[in-house]
Amino acid sequence: MKTRLQSLGLLDRALRATSDDELTTVVEGLNDDHREALERLIEGPLEPDAIRAAVAKGRIDGTMESLAMVLTDASLADCIKELGDHADNPTSDQLRAVLPGIVERHGLGITRVMLASTVTGEAQAAPVIRDLLKHDDALKLPPAETRPAGPIVRAPQVSEAERDAVRARRQEQKRKKQDAARIRREQSAKARNRA
């Protein structure tokens, strides 16, 4: 499960790092079948903002992965063709030999998304590709952005006098509870002594 979440994190980072121009270019180059598939995945026009919104909403239900597959189908086919017999399980050197051409033809952003998509698809070469996306100077993804887990809620501003009043009420309640507990203990002790 941890590896799966890390793979999805890589894909998310790759999609975030892809520029609006790269997304626009790849969408414009899609054939009718791919455009239709994209239209089913995205609410609204096939524009970068709508793609990013669909990615954000589709991390859990598989929409993000489906979008990546549609957007990178041509670059993946190109990569497979260039790798030839080594396409099923390429080495790092074999990938490094073909990726500059892929980047030149499809753009760095789409190439990264294609690589991250193969990692989430659990390709045999996933460890090699993950290493490239994390450490290769030409392909390395930018560091992950830190995002708050939820909305930031600020505590209401309270005056010092109000704080003192709250503290006094709490202390009084604590004193009353302690007194009540002391009285119960005394009554219990008296009842035991009578028996």
Side-chain angles (χ1 to χ4, degrees):
M1 184 61 147
K2 183 178 178 184
T3 303
R4 175 81 175 138
L5 292 175
Q6 289 171 341
S7 299
L8 289 171
L10 279 178
L11 181 56
D12 184 42
R13 283 173 53 200
L15 284 160
R16 286 174 184 267
T18 304
S19 72
D20 287 355
D21 289 341
E22 288 173 307
L23 288 173
T24 300
T25 300
V26 76
V27 168
E28 289 172 354
L30 294 175
N31 64 32
D32 290 340
D33 290 338
H34 285 83
R35 287 180 82 74
E36 185 180 319
L38 203 58
E39 287 170 351
R40 278 189 247 127
L41 295 168
I42 296 176
E43 296 175 13
L46 301 182
E47 295 175 350
D49 288 342
I51 292 170
R52 292 185 195 288
V55 166
K57 287 168 59 177
R59 287 187 186 100
I60 303 298
D61 68 4
T63 301
M64 178 174 68
E65 294 168 90
S66 298
L67 280 166
M69 285 180 5
V70 171
L71 294 172
T72 64
D73 193 43
S75 59
L76 179 61
D78 191 8
C79 188
I80 290 170
K81 179 182 156 211
E82 292 295 316
L83 286 168
D85 294 338
H86 306 288
D88 286 338
N89 196 11
T91 65
S92 182
D93 290 336
Q94 291 164 339
L95 278 168
R96 282 190 171 98
V98 301
L99 286 173
I102 305 297
V103 169
E104 185 178 317
R105 289 186 291 281
H106 301 278
L108 177 61
I110 296 302
T111 302
R112 286 173 171 166
V113 173
M114 179 264 298
L115 291 170
S117 182
T118 59
V119 172
T120 60
E122 300 175 7
Q124 287 181 337
V128 171
I129 295 169
R130 186 179 293 113
D131 185 60
L132 288 174
L133 289 171
K134 288 184 174 187
H135 305 292
D136 185 80
D137 290 334
L139 296 167
K140 181 171 32 178
L141 289 169
E145 299 172 8
T146 55
R147 293 178 278 166
I152 298 173
V153 178
R154 298 192 192 289
Q157 297 299 321
V158 179
S159 71
E160 194 62 37
E162 288 177 282
R163 276 193 209 120
D164 289 342
V166 168
R167 280 189 206 115
R169 280 193 305 269
R170 287 181 183 159
Q171 287 176 348
E172 180 62 23
Q173 289 172 347
K174 183 177 177 181
R175 188 190 58 74
K176 286 180 180 178
K177 285 181 183 178
Q178 289 173 342
D179 288 345
R182 182 181 44 77
I183 292 170
R184 279 193 305 273
R185 283 191 307 271
E186 289 172 358
Q187 288 174 346
S188 178
K190 285 180 186 176
R192 277 189 301 239
N193 290 337
R194 288 183 202 154

Coordinates of all heavy atoms in Angstrom, one line a residue, residues 50-135:
A50 N -9.2 22.6 -16.1 CA -10.1 21.5 -16.0 C -9.4 20.2 -15.8 O -9.8 19.4 -15.0 CB -11.0 21.5 -17.2
I51 N -8.3 20.1 -16.4 CA -7.4 18.8 -16.3 C -6.9 18.8 -14.9 O -7.0 17.7 -14.2 CB -6.3 18.8 -17.3 CG1 -6.9 18.6 -18.7 CG2 -5.3 17.7 -17.0 CD1 -5.9 18.8 -19.8
R52 N -6.4 19.9 -14.4 CA -5.8 19.9 -13.0 C -6.9 19.7 -12.0 O -6.7 19.0 -11.0 CB -5.1 21.3 -12.8 CG -3.9 21.4 -13.6 CD -3.1 22.7 -13.3 NE -2.1 23.0 -14.3 CZ -1.0 22.3 -14.5 NH1 -0.7 21.3 -13.7 NH2 -0.1 22.7 -15.4
A53 N -8.1 20.2 -12.2 CA -9.2 20.0 -11.3 C -9.6 18.5 -11.2 O -9.9 17.9 -10.2 CB -10.4 20.9 -11.7
A54 N -9.6 17.9 -12.4 CA -10.0 16.5 -12.5 C -8.9 15.6 -11.8 O -9.2 14.6 -11.1 CB -10.1 16.0 -13.9
V55 N -7.6 16.0 -11.9 CA -6.5 15.3 -11.3 C -6.7 15.4 -9.8 O -6.6 14.4 -9.0 CB -5.2 15.9 -11.7 CG1 -4.1 15.4 -10.8 CG2 -4.9 15.5 -13.2
A56 N -7.0 16.6 -9.3 CA -7.1 16.9 -7.8 C -8.3 16.0 -7.3 O -8.2 15.5 -6.2 CB -7.4 18.3 -7.6
K57 N -9.4 15.9 -8.0 CA -10.6 15.2 -7.5 C -10.4 13.7 -7.7 O -11.0 12.9 -7.0 CB -11.8 15.6 -8.2 CG -12.3 17.0 -7.8 CD -13.3 17.6 -8.7 CE -14.6 16.8 -8.8 NZ -15.6 17.5 -9.6
G58 N -9.5 13.3 -8.7 CA -9.5 11.9 -9.0 C -8.3 11.1 -8.5 O -7.9 10.1 -9.1
R59 N -7.7 11.5 -7.4 CA -6.5 10.8 -6.9 C -6.9 9.4 -6.4 O -6.2 8.5 -6.5 CB -5.9 11.6 -5.8 CG -5.1 12.8 -6.3 CD -4.3 13.4 -5.2 NE -3.7 14.6 -5.7 CZ -4.2 15.9 -5.5 NH1 -5.2 16.0 -4.8 NH2 -3.5 16.9 -6.0
I60 N -8.1 9.3 -5.8 CA -8.5 8.1 -5.1 C -9.2 7.2 -6.1 O -9.0 6.0 -6.1 CB -9.4 8.4 -3.9 CG1 -8.7 9.3 -2.9 CG2 -9.9 7.1 -3.2 CD1 -7.4 8.7 -2.3
D61 N -10.1 7.7 -6.9 CA -10.9 6.8 -7.8 C -10.3 6.4 -9.1 O -11.0 5.8 -9.9 CB -12.3 7.5 -8.0 CG -12.2 8.8 -8.9 OD1 -11.1 9.1 -9.4 OD2 -13.2 9.5 -9.1
G62 N -9.1 6.7 -9.3 CA -8.4 6.3 -10.6 C -8.5 7.2 -11.7 O -7.9 7.0 -12.8
T63 N -9.2 8.3 -11.6 CA -9.3 9.3 -12.6 C -7.9 9.9 -13.0 O -7.6 10.1 -14.2 CB -10.3 10.4 -12.3 OG1 -11.6 9.8 -12.0 CG2 -10.4 11.4 -13.4
M64 N -7.1 10.2 -12.0 CA -5.8 10.8 -12.2 C -5.0 9.8 -13.1 O -4.4 10.3 -14.1 CB -5.1 11.0 -10.9 CG -3.7 11.6 -11.1 SD -2.8 12.0 -9.6 CE -2.6 10.4 -8.8
E65 N -5.0 8.5 -12.8 CA -4.3 7.6 -13.6 C -4.8 7.5 -15.0 O -4.0 7.4 -16.0 CB -4.3 6.2 -13.0 CG -3.6 6.2 -11.6 CD -3.8 4.9 -10.9 OE1 -3.1 3.9 -11.1 OE2 -4.8 4.9 -10.1
S66 N -6.1 7.5 -15.2 CA -6.8 7.4 -16.5 C -6.4 8.6 -17.3 O -6.1 8.5 -18.5 CB -8.3 7.3 -16.4 OG -8.6 6.1 -15.7
L67 N -6.4 9.8 -16.7 CA -6.0 11.0 -17.4 C -4.6 10.9 -17.9 O -4.3 11.3 -19.0 CB -6.2 12.2 -16.5 CG -7.6 12.8 -16.3 CD1 -7.6 13.8 -15.2 CD2 -8.0 13.5 -17.6
A68 N -3.7 10.4 -17.0 CA -2.3 10.3 -17.4 C -2.1 9.4 -18.6 O -1.4 9.6 -19.5 CB -1.5 9.9 -16.2
M69 N -2.9 8.2 -18.5 CA -2.8 7.3 -19.6 C -3.2 7.9 -21.0 O -2.6 7.7 -22.0 CB -3.6 6.0 -19.3 CG -3.0 5.1 -18.3 SD -3.9 3.6 -17.9 CE -5.2 3.5 -18.9
V70 N -4.3 8.6 -21.0 CA -4.8 9.2 -22.2 C -3.8 10.3 -22.7 O -3.5 10.3 -23.9 CB -6.2 9.9 -22.0 CG1 -6.6 10.7 -23.2 CG2 -7.2 8.8 -21.7
L71 N -3.3 11.1 -21.8 CA -2.4 12.2 -22.2 C -1.1 11.7 -22.6 O -0.4 12.4 -23.5 CB -2.2 13.2 -21.0 CG -3.4 14.0 -20.6 CD1 -3.2 14.7 -19.3 CD2 -3.9 14.9 -21.7
T72 N -0.6 10.5 -22.2 CA 0.7 10.1 -22.5 C 0.8 8.9 -23.4 O 1.8 8.3 -23.6 CB 1.5 9.7 -21.2 OG1 0.8 8.6 -20.5 CG2 1.6 10.9 -20.3
D73 N -0.4 8.5 -24.0 CA -0.4 7.3 -24.8 C 0.6 7.4 -26.0 O 1.3 6.5 -26.3 CB -1.8 7.1 -25.3 CG -2.0 5.7 -26.0 OD1 -1.5 4.7 -25.4 OD2 -2.6 5.6 -27.0
A74 N 0.6 8.6 -26.6 CA 1.6 8.7 -27.8 C 3.0 8.7 -27.3 O 3.9 8.1 -28.0 CB 1.3 10.1 -28.5
S75 N 3.3 9.3 -26.2 CA 4.7 9.3 -25.7 C 5.1 7.9 -25.3 O 6.3 7.5 -25.5 CB 4.9 10.4 -24.6 OG 4.1 10.1 -23.6
L76 N 4.2 7.2 -24.7 CA 4.5 5.8 -24.3 C 4.7 4.9 -25.5 O 5.7 4.1 -25.5 CB 3.4 5.3 -23.4 CG 3.6 3.8 -22.9 CD1 4.8 3.7 -22.0 CD2 2.3 3.4 -22.1
A77 N 3.9 5.1 -26.5 CA 4.1 4.3 -27.7 C 5.4 4.6 -28.3 O 6.2 3.7 -28.8 CB 3.0 4.5 -28.7
D78 N 5.8 5.9 -28.4 CA 7.1 6.3 -28.9 C 8.2 5.7 -28.1 O 9.2 5.2 -28.6 CB 7.2 7.8 -28.9 CG 8.3 8.4 -29.7 OD1 9.0 7.6 -30.4 OD2 8.6 9.6 -29.6
C79 N 8.1 5.7 -26.8 CA 9.2 5.2 -25.9 C 9.3 3.6 -26.1 O 10.4 3.1 -26.2 CB 8.8 5.5 -24.5 SG 10.2 5.1 -23.3
I80 N 8.2 3.0 -26.2 CA 8.2 1.5 -26.4 C 8.9 1.2 -27.8 O 9.7 0.3 -27.9 CB 6.8 0.9 -26.4 CG1 6.3 1.0 -24.9 CG2 6.7 -0.5 -26.9 CD1 4.8 0.7 -24.8
K81 N 8.5 2.0 -28.8 CA 9.1 1.8 -30.1 C 10.7 2.0 -30.1 O 11.4 1.2 -30.6 CB 8.5 2.8 -31.1 CG 9.1 2.7 -32.5 CD 8.4 3.7 -33.4 CE 9.3 4.0 -34.5 NZ 9.2 5.3 -35.0
E82 N 11.1 3.1 -29.4 CA 12.5 3.4 -29.3 C 13.3 2.3 -28.5 O 14.4 2.0 -28.8 CB 12.7 4.7 -28.7 CG 12.3 5.9 -29.5 CD 13.1 6.0 -30.8 OE1 14.3 5.9 -30.7 OE2 12.5 6.2 -31.9
L83 N 12.7 1.8 -27.5 CA 13.3 0.7 -26.6 C 13.4 -0.6 -27.3 O 14.2 -1.4 -27.0 CB 12.6 0.6 -25.3 CG 12.8 1.7 -24.3 CD1 11.9 1.6 -23.1 CD2 14.3 1.7 -23.8
G84 N 12.5 -0.8 -28.3 CA 12.5 -2.1 -29.0 C 12.3 -3.3 -28.2 O 11.4 -3.4 -27.4
D85 N 13.3 -4.2 -28.3 CA 13.2 -5.5 -27.5 C 13.4 -5.3 -26.0 O 13.1 -6.2 -25.3 CB 14.3 -6.4 -28.0 CG 14.1 -6.9 -29.5 OD1 13.0 -6.9 -29.9 OD2 15.1 -7.3 -30.1
H86 N 13.8 -4.2 -25.6 CA 14.1 -3.9 -24.2 C 12.9 -3.2 -23.5 O 13.0 -2.8 -22.4 CB 15.3 -3.0 -24.0 CG 16.5 -3.6 -24.6 ND1 17.2 -4.8 -24.2 CD2 17.2 -3.3 -25.8 CE1 18.2 -5.1 -24.9 NE2 18.2 -4.2 -25.9
A87 N 11.8 -3.0 -24.3 CA 10.6 -2.2 -23.8 C 10.0 -2.8 -22.5 O 9.5 -2.0 -21.7 CB 9.6 -2.1 -24.9
D88 N 10.0 -4.1 -22.4 CA 9.3 -4.7 -21.2 C 10.1 -4.4 -19.9 O 9.5 -4.3 -18.8 CB 9.2 -6.2 -21.4 CG 8.1 -6.5 -22.4 OD1 7.2 -5.7 -22.6 OD2 8.1 -7.7 -22.9
N89 N 11.4 -4.4 -19.9 CA 12.2 -4.3 -18.7 C 13.5 -3.6 -19.0 O 14.6 -4.2 -18.9 CB 12.4 -5.6 -18.0 CG 12.9 -5.5 -16.6 OD1 12.8 -4.4 -16.0 ND2 13.3 -6.6 -16.0
P90 N 13.5 -2.3 -19.4 CA 14.7 -1.6 -19.8 C 15.6 -1.3 -18.6 O 15.1 -1.1 -17.4 CB 14.2 -0.3 -20.4 CG 12.9 -0.1 -19.7 CD 12.3 -1.4 -19.5
T91 N 16.9 -1.2 -18.8 CA 17.8 -0.8 -17.8 C 17.8 0.8 -17.7 O 17.3 1.4 -18.6 CB 19.2 -1.3 -18.1 OG1 19.7 -0.6 -19.3 CG2 19.3 -2.8 -18.3
S92 N 18.5 1.3 -16.7 CA 18.6 2.7 -16.6 C 19.3 3.3 -17.8 O 18.9 4.3 -18.3 CB 19.4 3.0 -15.3 OG 19.5 4.4 -15.1
D93 N 20.4 2.6 -18.2 CA 21.2 3.1 -19.4 C 20.3 3.1 -20.7 O 20.4 4.0 -21.5 CB 22.4 2.3 -19.6 CG 23.5 2.6 -18.5 OD1 23.4 3.6 -17.8 OD2 24.3 1.7 -18.2
Q94 N 19.5 2.1 -20.9 CA 18.7 2.0 -22.1 C 17.7 3.1 -22.0 O 17.4 3.7 -23.1 CB 18.0 0.6 -22.1 CG 19.0 -0.5 -22.4 CD 18.4 -1.9 -22.1 OE1 17.5 -2.0 -21.4 NE2 19.0 -2.9 -22.7
L95 N 17.1 3.4 -20.9 CA 16.1 4.5 -20.8 C 16.8 5.8 -21.1 O 16.3 6.7 -21.8 CB 15.4 4.5 -19.4 CG 14.3 3.5 -19.3 CD1 13.9 3.4 -17.8 CD2 13.1 3.9 -20.1
R96 N 17.9 6.0 -20.4 CA 18.7 7.3 -20.6 C 19.1 7.5 -22.1 O 19.1 8.7 -22.5 CB 19.9 7.3 -19.7 CG 19.6 7.6 -18.3 CD 20.9 7.9 -17.5 NE 20.6 8.4 -16.2 CZ 20.6 7.6 -15.1 NH1 20.8 6.3 -15.2 NH2 20.3 8.1 -13.9
A97 N 19.2 6.4 -22.8 CA 19.6 6.6 -24.2 C 18.4 7.0 -25.1 O 18.6 7.8 -26.0 CB 20.1 5.2 -24.8
V98 N 17.2 6.6 -24.8 CA 16.0 7.0 -25.6 C 15.3 8.2 -25.1 O 14.6 8.9 -25.9 CB 15.1 5.8 -25.8 CG1 15.8 4.6 -26.4 CG2 14.4 5.4 -24.5
L99 N 15.4 8.5 -23.8 CA 14.5 9.6 -23.2 C 14.8 11.0 -23.8 O 13.9 11.7 -23.9 CB 14.6 9.5 -21.7 CG 13.8 8.4 -21.1 CD1 14.0 8.3 -19.6 CD2 12.3 8.5 -21.4
P100 N 16.0 11.3 -24.1 CA 16.2 12.7 -24.7 C 15.4 12.9 -26.0 O 14.8 14.0 -26.1 CB 17.7 12.7 -25.0 CG 18.3 11.8 -24.0 CD 17.3 10.7 -23.9
G101 N 15.3 11.9 -26.8 CA 14.4 12.0 -28.0 C 13.0 12.1 -27.7 O 12.2 12.9 -28.3
I102 N 12.5 11.4 -26.6 CA 11.1 11.4 -26.2 C 10.8 12.8 -25.7 O 9.8 13.4 -26.0 CB 10.9 10.3 -25.1 CG1 11.2 9.0 -25.6 CG2 9.4 10.4 -24.6 CD1 10.5 8.4 -26.8
V103 N 11.8 13.3 -24.9 CA 11.6 14.7 -24.3 C 11.5 15.7 -25.4 O 10.7 16.6 -25.4 CB 12.7 15.0 -23.3 CG1 12.7 16.5 -22.9 CG2 12.6 14.2 -22.1
E104 N 12.4 15.6 -26.4 CA 12.4 16.5 -27.5 C 11.1 16.5 -28.3 O 10.5 17.5 -28.7 CB 13.5 16.2 -28.5 CG 13.7 17.2 -29.6 CD 14.9 16.8 -30.4 OE1 16.0 16.4 -29.9 OE2 14.8 16.9 -31.7
R105 N 10.5 15.3 -28.5 CA 9.3 15.2 -29.3 C 8.0 15.5 -28.5 O 7.0 15.9 -29.1 CB 9.2 13.8 -29.9 CG 10.2 13.6 -31.1 CD 10.0 12.2 -31.7 NE 10.4 11.1 -30.9 CZ 11.6 10.6 -30.7 NH1 12.6 11.2 -31.2 NH2 11.8 9.5 -30.0
H106 N 8.0 15.1 -27.2 CA 6.8 15.2 -26.4 C 6.8 16.2 -25.3 O 5.8 16.5 -24.7 CB 6.4 13.8 -25.9 CG 6.2 12.8 -26.9 ND1 5.0 12.7 -27.6 CD2 7.1 11.9 -27.5 CE1 5.2 11.7 -28.5 NE2 6.4 11.2 -28.4
G107 N 8.0 16.7 -25.0 CA 8.1 17.7 -23.9 C 8.5 17.0 -22.6 O 8.2 15.9 -22.4
L108 N 9.2 17.8 -21.8 CA 9.7 17.2 -20.5 C 8.5 16.8 -19.6 O 8.5 15.8 -19.0 CB 10.6 18.2 -19.8 CG 11.1 17.8 -18.4 CD1 12.0 16.5 -18.5 CD2 12.0 19.0 -17.8
G109 N 7.5 17.7 -19.5 CA 6.4 17.5 -18.6 C 5.7 16.2 -18.9 O 5.4 15.4 -18.1
I110 N 5.3 16.0 -20.2 CA 4.6 14.8 -20.6 C 5.5 13.6 -20.5 O 4.9 12.5 -20.1 CB 4.1 15.0 -22.1 CG1 3.1 16.1 -22.1 CG2 3.5 13.7 -22.6 CD1 1.9 16.0 -21.2
T111 N 6.8 13.7 -20.7 CA 7.6 12.5 -20.5 C 7.7 12.1 -19.1 O 7.6 10.9 -18.7 CB 9.1 12.9 -21.0 OG1 9.0 13.3 -22.4 CG2 10.0 11.7 -20.9
R112 N 7.7 13.1 -18.2 CA 7.7 12.8 -16.7 C 6.4 12.1 -16.4 O 6.4 11.1 -15.6 CB 7.9 14.0 -15.9 CG 9.2 14.6 -15.9 CD 9.2 15.9 -15.2 NE 10.5 16.5 -14.9 CZ 10.6 17.8 -14.5 NH1 9.5 18.6 -14.4 NH2 11.8 18.3 -14.3
V113 N 5.3 12.6 -16.9 CA 4.0 12.0 -16.6 C 3.9 10.6 -17.1 O 3.4 9.7 -16.4 CB 2.8 12.9 -17.1 CG1 1.5 12.2 -17.0 CG2 2.8 14.3 -16.5
M114 N 4.4 10.4 -18.3 CA 4.5 9.1 -18.9 C 5.3 8.1 -18.0 O 4.8 7.0 -17.7 CB 5.0 9.1 -20.3 CG 5.1 7.8 -21.0 SD 6.8 7.0 -20.9 CE 7.8 8.1 -21.7
L115 N 6.4 8.5 -17.5 CA 7.3 7.7 -16.7 C 6.6 7.4 -15.4 O 6.5 6.3 -14.9 CB 8.6 8.4 -16.5 CG 9.5 8.4 -17.7 CD1 10.7 9.3 -17.4 CD2 10.0 7.0 -18.1
A116 N 6.0 8.4 -14.7 CA 5.3 8.3 -13.5 C 4.1 7.4 -13.6 O 3.8 6.6 -12.8 CB 4.9 9.6 -12.9
S117 N 3.4 7.5 -14.8 CA 2.3 6.6 -15.1 C 2.7 5.1 -15.2 O 1.9 4.3 -14.7 CB 1.6 7.1 -16.4 OG 0.5 6.3 -16.6
T118 N 3.8 4.9 -15.7 CA 4.3 3.5 -15.8 C 4.6 2.9 -14.4 O 4.5 1.8 -14.1 CB 5.5 3.3 -16.8 OG1 6.6 4.1 -16.3 CG2 5.1 3.7 -18.2
V119 N 5.1 3.8 -13.5 CA 5.4 3.4 -12.1 C 4.1 3.0 -11.4 O 4.0 2.0 -10.8 CB 6.2 4.5 -11.4 CG1 6.3 4.1 -9.9 CG2 7.5 4.7 -12.0
T120 N 3.1 3.9 -11.6 CA 1.8 3.5 -11.0 C 1.1 2.3 -11.6 O 0.4 1.6 -10.9 CB 0.8 4.7 -11.0 OG1 0.5 5.0 -12.4 CG2 1.3 5.9 -10.3
G121 N 1.5 2.0 -12.8 CA 1.0 0.8 -13.5 C 1.8 -0.4 -13.1 O 1.5 -1.5 -13.7
E122 N 2.7 -0.2 -12.2 CA 3.5 -1.3 -11.7 C 4.3 -2.1 -12.8 O 4.4 -3.3 -12.8 CB 2.7 -2.3 -10.9 CG 2.0 -1.6 -9.7 CD 1.1 -2.5 -8.9 OE1 1.0 -3.7 -9.2 OE2 0.4 -1.9 -8.0
A123 N 4.9 -1.3 -13.7 CA 5.8 -1.9 -14.7 C 7.0 -2.6 -14.1 O 7.4 -2.2 -13.0 CB 6.2 -0.8 -15.7
Q124 N 7.5 -3.5 -14.8 CA 8.7 -4.2 -14.2 C 9.9 -3.2 -14.0 O 10.6 -3.4 -13.0 CB 9.2 -5.3 -15.2 CG 8.3 -6.5 -15.2 CD 8.8 -7.6 -16.2 OE1 9.6 -7.3 -17.1 NE2 8.4 -8.8 -16.0
A125 N 10.0 -2.2 -14.8 CA 11.0 -1.3 -14.7 C 10.7 -0.1 -13.7 O 11.5 0.8 -13.6 CB 11.4 -0.7 -16.0
A126 N 9.7 -0.3 -12.9 CA 9.2 0.8 -12.0 C 10.4 1.2 -11.1 O 10.5 2.5 -10.9 CB 8.0 0.3 -11.2
P127 N 11.2 0.4 -10.5 CA 12.3 0.9 -9.6 C 13.3 1.7 -10.3 O 13.7 2.7 -9.8 CB 12.9 -0.4 -9.1 CG 11.9 -1.5 -9.2 CD 11.1 -1.1 -10.4
V128 N 13.6 1.3 -11.6 CA 14.5 2.1 -12.4 C 13.9 3.5 -12.7 O 14.6 4.5 -12.6 CB 14.9 1.3 -13.7 CG1 15.7 2.2 -14.6 CG2 15.7 0.1 -13.3
I129 N 12.7 3.5 -13.1 CA 12.0 4.7 -13.5 C 11.8 5.6 -12.3 O 12.0 6.8 -12.4 CB 10.6 4.4 -14.2 CG1 10.9 3.6 -15.5 CG2 9.8 5.7 -14.4 CD1 9.6 3.1 -16.1
R130 N 11.5 5.1 -11.2 CA 11.3 5.8 -9.9 C 12.6 6.5 -9.6 O 12.7 7.7 -9.2 CB 10.9 4.9 -8.8 CG 10.6 5.7 -7.5 CD 10.1 4.8 -6.4 NE 8.8 4.2 -6.7 CZ 8.6 2.9 -6.9 NH1 9.6 2.0 -6.8 NH2 7.4 2.4 -7.1
D131 N 13.7 5.8 -9.8 CA 15.1 6.4 -9.5 C 15.4 7.5 -10.4 O 15.9 8.6 -10.0 CB 16.1 5.3 -9.6 CG 17.5 5.8 -9.3 OD1 17.7 6.2 -8.1 OD2 18.4 5.8 -10.1
L132 N 15.0 7.4 -11.7 CA 15.2 8.5 -12.7 C 14.4 9.7 -12.3 O 14.9 10.8 -12.3 CB 14.8 8.0 -14.1 CG 15.7 7.0 -14.8 CD1 15.1 6.6 -16.1 CD2 17.1 7.6 -15.0
L133 N 13.1 9.5 -11.9 CA 12.3 10.6 -11.5 C 12.7 11.3 -10.3 O 12.4 12.5 -10.0 CB 10.8 10.2 -11.4 CG 10.1 9.8 -12.7 CD1 8.8 9.2 -12.4 CD2 10.0 11.0 -13.6
K134 N 13.5 10.6 -9.4 CA 13.9 11.2 -8.2 C 15.4 11.8 -8.3 O 15.7 12.7 -7.5 CB 13.9 10.2 -7.1 CG 12.5 9.9 -6.6 CD 12.5 8.9 -5.4 CE 11.1 8.7 -4.9 NZ 11.1 7.9 -3.7
H135 N 16.2 11.2 -9.1 CA 17.6 11.5 -9.1 C 18.3 12.0 -10.4 O 19.3 12.6 -10.3 CB 18.4 10.4 -8.5 CG 17.9 9.9 -7.2 ND1 18.0 10.6 -6.0 CD2 17.3 8.7 -6.8 CE1 17.5 10.0 -5.0 NE2 17.0 8.8 -5.5

